[in-house]
Amino acid sequence: MKTAVMDLSGDWTGVFDYGLEAQDAVTFTATLIDVGGVVWGKTQEPNSFAPGAGPELIAELSGTRSGMEVHFRKAYLGSPRGGEYPIHYTGHVSAGGKRIEGQWRINNPGVPFSGPFVMTRITGLEVRREIAIEAEAEVS
């Protein structure tokens, strides 16, 4: 029986937690591209820590996937105050490839932070994109 090749490419929604009672968990969306275990993409989340940086924060992701383990680095665009240091994520991909759970950490000198995160694949978007591409090709 042939084993399916894992691919994390697609749209995801998730939440990360600071692990502090005074700080609410933060939701986010992510778009990932996975080519042979090299993973990159972008995230978008409500601004929960950087006054003056606007209502939402965008970050770039880069990392690797090896089997069911994923490691990536998140860096906020524009390095907003409080977001100057990259965040390192380590997670485990579920057997079906629809969920990633793990821990994030910031190696901020003197004030290291860490906490849990979880991401869930948004399904159905690839099918809608394929239908839209086919429809556009028929019209052209």
Side-chain angles (χ1 to χ4, degrees), residues 11 16 30 45 47 57 66 72 75 84 92-93 106 111 120 131 135:
D11 295 311
F16 64 86
E45 66 193 62
N47 182 351
L57 299 174
S66 178
F72 56 87
E84 303 90 349
H92 182 79
V93 183
I106 302 173
V111 189
T120 304
I131 291 170

Side-chain angles (χ1 to χ4, degrees), residues 22-35:
Q23 185 81 31
D24 291 335
V26 178
T27 60
F28 64 91
T29 58
T31 299
L32 300 179
I33 300 167
D34 179 345
V35 177

Side-chain angles (χ1 to χ4, degrees), residues 125-136:
L125 292 179
E126 292 78 16
V127 173
R128 288 195 290 268
R129 284 187 192 131
E130 288 175 15
I131 291 170
I133 290 168
E134 288 172 8
E136 187 176 313

Side-chain angles (χ1 to χ4, degrees), residues 1 3 5 16 23-24 37 40 53 55 70 85-86 92 116 123 130-132:
M1 182 170 170
T3 303
V5 175
F16 64 86
Q23 185 81 31
D24 291 335
W40 69 94
V70 63
Y85 298 99
H92 182 79
T123 58
E130 288 175 15
I131 291 170

Side-chain angles (χ1 to χ4, degrees), residues 2-58:
K2 188 176 179 181
T3 303
V5 175
M6 179 66 60
D7 184 347
L8 301 179
S9 297
D11 295 311
W12 297 75
T13 185
V15 62
F16 64 86
D17 195 330
Y18 288 103
L20 305 170
E21 287 185 31
Q23 185 81 31
D24 291 335
V26 178
T27 60
F28 64 91
T29 58
T31 299
L32 300 179
I33 300 167
D34 179 345
V35 177
V38 176
V39 179
W40 69 94
K42 288 195 175 180
T43 64
Q44 183 173 357
E45 66 193 62
N47 182 351
S48 63
F49 64 83
E56 294 183 324
L57 299 174
I58 307 292

Side-chain angles (χ1 to χ4, degrees), residues 18 21 36 60 62 70 101-102 104 115:
Y18 288 103
E21 287 185 31
E60 291 183 333
S62 61
V70 63
E101 287 188 66
W104 61 267

